Amino acid sequence: MKVLTVVGARPQFIKAAPVSRAIRQQSQEILVHTGQHYDKAMSEVFFEELNIPVPDYNLHVGSKSHGAQTGEMLSKVEEVIIKEKPDCVLVYGDTNSTLAGALAASKLHIPVAHIEAGLRSFNRRMPEEVNRVLTDHVSEWLFCPTRTAVRHLANEGINKGVYLCGDVMLDAVNYNRKLADEKSTVLNDLDLKPGSYILITLHRAENTDDPARLRQITGAINELPLPAVLPLHPRTKGKLEQYGLRITNPNVRLIEPVGYLDMLQLEVNANKILTDSGGVQKEAFFAGIPCITMRDETEWTETVSLGTNILVGADQSRILEAVHQFNVDFSSVEPVFGDGDAARQIVERLSNDLR
């Protein structure tokens, strides 16, 4: 079996690591990095930390408008597929890299496997929602992390090739948590005590590109009562400067983006997590940390229905109210994301079908 894997953004590097390990135990993998995340802090460090092989191809597409970025990726991925002639193309999640890889393969009649299939926010204004819907509808194999994702696909008439396998991010967290304990010094470096701080991540275009929403979020951050840590995404930093917004709260530490092992340590030792990231919502769930999500909807509806995650939008007062009052008892929470064996199941299914 020859698998061509397309990745391009930080969350995909994390998801790809356990699946790549499983593929390479028995088959050939060609790894293509589109360059969607291209600086060292957002890209190279993840390959180094997670022991992902150096990409066979780096397309160096970089930051552009959605159309220009997706179009350039589509053209360049197509060239690689024509050259390598894989048995299937494997894509992850909901980025422009995902859509470009799926479209390039489908137009060349190469079957597509989509990991994290079936997720829906039902907000078509989000580019991620458009990417995931289109990718699902051209995929041969749809690997779903939850039963909810399976139902979403059934509601759209997709029943063939749908597999409930659990979440590959749980595989990654289980594999890397011990490594993080051994290698990460981030708590000491930042002089943080476990359970004493709020971890913040902020990068979604719906928040960073809307000055009114970003102003509300910045206002809430500036009133946080606890110590907080914010690894500042390059896009967010640029937008704060563009809109003349500043984080002035002396309790808040602004730091450069961190590697995955440091991020895991910051997550599992936080008092609460304040985020607009889909991946961080799940990692908070895996770590047993209350999550406050600065979005109006989430693909991970299970975390909300189970009471471990609360949606507060970009509303300053709701954010602060949740910081003060939202607490979670994780002792009776159902493990809805599988048992950490997703990567093996995915590779076994592909191997059986491609024999």
Side-chain angles (χ1 to χ4, degrees), residues 3 9 11 32 47 66 70 100 113 125 127 161 189 192 212 244 246 252 262 269 278 299-300 320 326 349 351:
V3 178
V32 179
F47 288 92
H66 283 289
T70 307
R125 291 181 60 83
D189 294 344
L192 295 171
R246 294 181 61 210
V252 179
D262 283 346
N269 289 288
E299 307 76 41
W300 303 110
L320 290 169
F326 183 60
R349 169 54 57 186
S351 297

Side-chain angles (χ1 to χ4, degrees), residues 193-246:
K193 293 183 173 55
S196 70
Y197 61 91
I198 297 169
L199 175 63
I200 309 168
T201 77
L202 173 62
H203 77 277
R204 285 272 179 183
E206 65 191 275
N207 286 329
T208 61
D209 294 359
D210 184 330
R213 290 180 71 93
L214 191 56
R215 186 173 293 108
Q216 286 278 314
I217 292 170
T218 305
I221 291 173
N222 281 334
E223 291 188 38
L224 291 177
L226 286 177
V229 178
L230 171 53
L232 198 57
H233 192 287
R235 178 203 292 145
T236 309
K237 182 177 180 181
K239 291 297 183 179
L240 288 170
E241 293 171 356
Q242 180 181 336
Y243 300 140
L245 299 172
R246 294 181 61 210

Side-chain angles (χ1 to χ4, degrees), residues 105-181:
S106 65
K107 287 180 177 294
L108 292 169
H109 308 294
I110 304 295
V112 177
H114 186 200
I115 293 177
E116 276 195 351
L119 301 189
R120 297 293 183 268
S121 69
F122 301 102
N123 177 2
R124 291 292 179 93
R125 291 181 60 83
M126 291 176 60
E128 295 90 350
E129 180 76 352
V130 175
N131 290 345
R132 61 176 72 104
V133 171
L134 294 176
T135 299
D136 281 341
H137 280 264
V138 299
S139 292
E140 182 87 9
W141 297 274
L142 300 105
F143 294 110
C144 297
T146 65
R147 295 189 184 280
T148 303
V150 174
R151 286 197 297 272
H152 288 159
L153 293 174
N155 290 340
E156 295 175 18
I158 303 175
N159 297 291
K160 183 181 177 183
V162 176
Y163 304 98
L164 176 64
C165 61
D167 198 314
V168 293
M169 284 191 72
L170 181 56
D171 295 34
V173 168
N174 289 345
Y175 183 88
N176 289 296
R177 197 161 169 176
K178 183 179 178 183
L179 201 59
D181 287 338

Side-chain angles (χ1 to χ4, degrees), residues 19-323:
V19 181
S20 289
R21 280 194 297 271
I23 291 171
R24 289 167 189 250
Q25 286 177 4
Q26 56 180 288
S27 303
Q28 181 183 4
E29 182 185 38
I30 305 298
L31 188 61
V32 179
H33 180 4
T34 65
Q36 184 168 338
H37 280 173
Y38 48 87
D39 63 19
K40 182 174 175 64
M42 300 294 286
S43 177
E44 289 179 31
V45 68
F46 279 77
F47 288 92
E48 294 166 5
E49 286 189 337
L50 300 178
N51 297 318
I52 305 174
V54 174
D56 299 281
Y57 296 88
N58 192 323
L59 306 184
H60 299 290
V61 174
S63 181
K64 293 175 173 63
S65 69
H66 283 289
Q69 186 182 65
T70 307
E72 186 174 341
M73 289 175 182
L74 178 57
S75 174
K76 290 186 173 183
V77 171
E78 181 182 62
E79 291 177 9
V80 177
I81 294 173
I82 290 171
K83 178 181 177 182
E84 292 291 344
K85 298 180 176 59
D87 296 307
C88 72
V89 169
L90 185 60
V91 296
Y92 292 82
D94 56 19
T95 68
N96 291 341
S97 300
T98 305
L99 179 60
L103 287 177
S106 65
K107 287 180 177 294
L108 292 169
H109 308 294
I110 304 295
V112 177
H114 186 200
I115 293 177
E116 276 195 351
L119 301 189
R120 297 293 183 268
S121 69
F122 301 102
N123 177 2
R124 291 292 179 93
R125 291 181 60 83
M126 291 176 60
E128 295 90 350
E129 180 76 352
V130 175
N131 290 345
R132 61 176 72 104
V133 171
L134 294 176
T135 299
D136 281 341
H137 280 264
V138 299
S139 292
E140 182 87 9
W141 297 274
L142 300 105
F143 294 110
C144 297
T146 65
R147 295 189 184 280
T148 303
V150 174
R151 286 197 297 272
H152 288 159
L153 293 174
N155 290 340
E156 295 175 18
I158 303 175
N159 297 291
K160 183 181 177 183
V162 176
Y163 304 98
L164 176 64
C165 61
D167 198 314
V168 293
M169 284 191 72
L170 181 56
D171 295 34
V173 168
N174 289 345
Y175 183 88
N176 289 296
R177 197 161 169 176
K178 183 179 178 183
L179 201 59
D181 287 338
E182 294 171 354
K183 291 191 171 184
S184 174
T185 61
V186 68
L187 295 186
N188 285 336
D189 294 344
L190 298 175
D191 195 25
L192 295 171
K193 293 183 173 55
S196 70
Y197 61 91
I198 297 169
L199 175 63
I200 309 168
T201 77
L202 173 62
H203 77 277
R204 285 272 179 183
E206 65 191 275
N207 286 329
T208 61
D209 294 359
D210 184 330
R213 290 180 71 93
L214 191 56
R215 186 173 293 108
Q216 286 278 314
I217 292 170
T218 305
I221 291 173
N222 281 334
E223 291 188 38
L224 291 177
L226 286 177
V229 178
L230 171 53
L232 198 57
H233 192 287
R235 178 203 292 145
T236 309
K237 182 177 180 181
K239 291 297 183 179
L240 288 170
E241 293 171 356
Q242 180 181 336
Y243 300 140
L245 299 172
R246 294 181 61 210
I247 294 172
T248 57
N249 188 339
N251 289 325
V252 179
R253 296 275 297 277
L254 298 179
I255 63 173
E256 293 294 316
V258 295
Y260 181 57
L261 298 182
D262 283 346
M263 190 64 179
L264 264 185
Q265 280 296 84
L266 289 171
E267 288 171 343
V268 302
N269 289 288
N271 178 277
K272 291 183 173 77
I273 293 176
L274 182 62
T275 188
D276 60 6
S277 161
V280 173
Q281 290 174 61
K282 281 190 298 177
E283 287 168 346
F285 182 89
F286 301 151
I289 305 297
C291 186
I292 301 164
T293 298
M294 298 178 290
R295 287 174 56 190
D296 301 316
E297 69 282 307
T298 179
E299 307 76 41
W300 303 110
T301 54
E302 298 85 355
T303 63
V304 176
S305 61
L306 290 169
T308 67
N309 183 10
I310 185 171
L311 300 177
V312 294
D315 185 295
Q316 182 171 340
S317 61
R318 289 172 64 199
I319 294 169
L320 290 169
E321 180 181 0
V323 167

